[in-house]
Amino acid sequence: MKAKHILVTVLVSAVTALSSVFLYAKLNKSNSVAQSQGQLPVNYAGLFDGGGTPGPVDFEAAANSTVAGVVHIKTKTNPTQTNNTKRRSPFGDIFGDEFFDDFFGGPQSNRPQMASGSGVFISADGYIVTNNHVVDGADEVTVTLHNKKQYKAKVIATDANTDLAVVKIEGSGFPYLLYGNSDEVKLGQWVLAVGYPLTLETTVTAGIVSAKYRFLGINQRKAGRNANVVESFIQTDAAVNQGNSGGALVNTSGQLIGINAAIASPTGTYAGYSYAIPVNIVKKVVDDLIKFGTVQRAFLGIRPEANADENTDSQIKEGDGVVVGEVMSNSAAEDAGLKKGDKIIKLDNKTVATWYELTGTVASYRPGQKINVTYLRNGKEGTAVLTLKNSSGNTEIVKTSAIDRLGADLSTLDAKKAKEYGVEGGVVVQALSDGLIAEQTTIKKGFIIVRAGGKAVKSVDDLKKAIDNAGNSIIIEGIYPGYEGVYQYAINDLRNEP
């Protein structure tokens, strides 16, 4: 009985082995026939559904064609030195006048501040794009090329809302990068980050696109609470560190698809994620800065719907489109007939799922340009053609005025407060951002301007007229409520003249 069992087992094993060989030969023949007929063999789990075994990605050509177009930017900010004058404080004998100088930011001097970042040539005649925060407040800008040649650079214009800036060096025949199309960037796509991190020479790192249309809120902190910031970052896992800011994010063809601007890190050094400004926003902003000196920002004229329990932009409903919460008067949206409750799902046939995707797309347009909007209303799809407008509700070219260059949120002093402070009127500095005041003075939030250019200032309009009638500089005078003394500050470069 035992021998019989052994014999059956042997026979079963033999039949199984012969069957396996037969089936393998048949499958192999079938695949050979399929290949000879131009068909793909069957593969488990669809590993090669794309058309064959994927080959290795080669970064060599993209890296070598890119490094010459990326530069090292070094900045120097001179010691802050103000010539503010004030009446002696009645508390000076107790605390010393230096106490109040420190509190209010009186005359002071410190060492020059040095910093560095990266930049990208965008033309053969020396125009370079970088981040605003790389050159912000710099008194000297030096550009070092990949071949170690150095040039003094001039800051042409900056935009804190997008954290972009344009600088220029004199010369011609510089190697520049070609623009790609950031709208065509795909998740999982290989990219290279090129720049000068941590004071190193030209450095190239590789990663993939891990997300698009990211909002971090970093531009809001820099540009000011009331600024119309644009953030729609490309997120990658290419290693980026301090010094990479303003450098290039390129695809494997060597095309510029973004300007590296930020990292997400609890330590200040690379921790896995980096962020780049999409090139479709970059090229429009750069063109504006070069042509007009300021960004020609286009608006749809809507505010998004927020969650019922929160009325803040950080609680915007996100998902499969942008629900219109409010249509602004005299706006492109109002002219085109958009209504509250409409859900915008496409812009120029490009799907938009979130508010930051929508604002990022609109940021690549100028006032006066037309855009097709696809929306849902009561479950039905509709389309409208909008002529985009600027923040003033028209399509005219916006020029930066001298008062805008101060970099301050200003308001007319309330009449009751003026009487309380013992002044006839004034202008309150509500908040400060990038601008001449922050760069050249030690004025603090809450300062009240009462005179400018030797004339009394009782309103924002008065201040604007005084600045418009001034030359390239002006003396402003004011007070800090609750403290004795009239403080004077000299502000230069009102006309951005050399």
Side-chain angles (χ1 to χ4, degrees), residues 36-50:
S36 68
Q37 295 176 349
Q39 301 174 5
L40 291 176
V42 175
N43 295 285
Y44 292 106
L47 290 177
F48 307 115
D49 289 346

Side-chain angles (χ1 to χ4, degrees), residues 333-478:
E334 183 183 57
D335 292 347
L338 289 182
K339 298 181 179 180
K340 179 179 179 180
D342 289 346
K343 179 185 281 188
I344 298 174
I345 56 176
K346 292 181 182 179
L347 292 177
D348 275 348
N349 295 319
K350 173 191 170 186
T351 300
V352 290
T354 69
W355 173 249
Y356 304 114
E357 190 171 347
L358 180 145
T359 55
T361 299
V362 174
S364 62
Y365 291 79
R366 281 200 186 106
Q369 290 184 302
K370 297 182 184 296
I371 188 170
N372 293 312
V373 177
T374 305
Y375 59 92
L376 297 177
R377 180 183 295 168
N378 300 323
K380 295 182 179 181
E381 186 174 299
T383 60
V385 179
L386 278 70
T387 301
L388 297 169
K389 296 184 177 183
N390 57 34
S391 58
S392 299
N394 58 58
T395 59
E396 296 176 1
I397 297 297
V398 176
K399 295 183 179 180
T400 303
S401 67
I403 196 170
D404 293 330
R405 298 191 67 240
L406 294 181
D409 291 338
L410 304 169
S411 66
T412 300
L413 179 65
D414 178 75
K416 291 183 179 179
K417 289 290 185 181
K419 186 176 182 179
E420 178 184 336
Y421 301 149
V423 295
E424 295 183 1
V427 172
V428 183
V429 176
Q430 300 283 9
L432 291 169
S433 56
D434 292 341
L436 298 178
I437 288 181
E439 292 172 7
Q440 301 180 14
T441 77
T442 51
I443 289 176
K444 301 293 189 293
K445 176 183 175 182
F447 183 68
I448 299 175
I449 301 170
V450 296
R451 292 177 66 82
K455 296 182 178 181
V457 168
K458 299 180 182 179
S459 67
V460 174
D461 283 341
D462 287 347
L463 179 61
K464 185 178 185 303
K465 290 177 182 177
I467 292 175
D468 288 343
N469 292 329
N472 201 36
S473 62
I474 194 170
I475 299 291
I476 62 173
E477 303 171 58

